[in-house]
Amino acid sequence: MSYKKINASEFNSMKFIKGIEKRYGYELASKVTSDLTRLATIAQTNDYLDELNSPRFVARFKLHPITGRLIVETINDEMKGYRYTVINDKVTRTAMAY
């Protein structure tokens, strides 16, 4: 699977959501919007996503194949990082080795 690489400063969340809505429909786009909002709220109140301040980390956005919920993975140059998932308005952070 190929991924599109962009800088964080170039990320346009509205364009991202509109693309999901166009491709998968309104219901899924509203779930992803809710998940992004919840993740942003959590990231402001604790150290979640702090690793993205390092130039060694990249973020990868994926959709869960069954539930359609957003999965955010942060990966460093040693192929280690974290997977963030939102389940019932609770954000879980899991250490991963890719």
Side-chain angles (χ1 to χ4, degrees), residues 1-3 60 62:
M1 178 179 285
S2 63
Y3 294 95
R60 180 166 61 184
K62 298 173 20 177

Side-chain angles (χ1 to χ4, degrees), residues 54-70:
S54 168
R56 293 179 23 199
F57 276 88
V58 296
R60 180 166 61 184
F61 295 90
K62 298 173 20 177
L63 296 176
H64 191 279
I66 297 172
T67 63
R69 302 307 294 243
L70 182 67

Side-chain angles (χ1 to χ4, degrees), residues 3-78:
Y3 294 95
K4 181 180 177 184
K5 287 187 175 185
I6 62 169
N7 291 331
S9 61
E10 297 171 3
F11 181 71
N12 183 340
S13 60
M14 291 302 293
K15 187 176 179 183
F16 178 68
I17 297 298
K18 289 289 184 187
I20 291 173
E21 183 178 8
K22 184 177 180 182
R23 191 168 184 182
Y24 301 107
Y26 175 78
E27 185 178 344
L28 187 65
S30 66
K31 283 183 183 180
V32 171
T33 302
S34 173
D35 293 349
L36 275 175
T37 304
R38 185 69 185 145
L39 188 60
T41 303
I42 294 297
Q44 290 175 3
T45 59
N46 57 37
D47 66 346
Y48 281 21
L49 297 175
D50 274 354
E51 64 268 15
L52 291 178
N53 292 331
S54 168
R56 293 179 23 199
F57 276 88
V58 296
R60 180 166 61 184
F61 295 90
K62 298 173 20 177
L63 296 176
H64 191 279
I66 297 172
T67 63
R69 302 307 294 243
L70 182 67
I71 299 171
V72 178
E73 297 175 332
T74 58
I75 307 166
N76 69 8
D77 55 355
E78 297 174 353

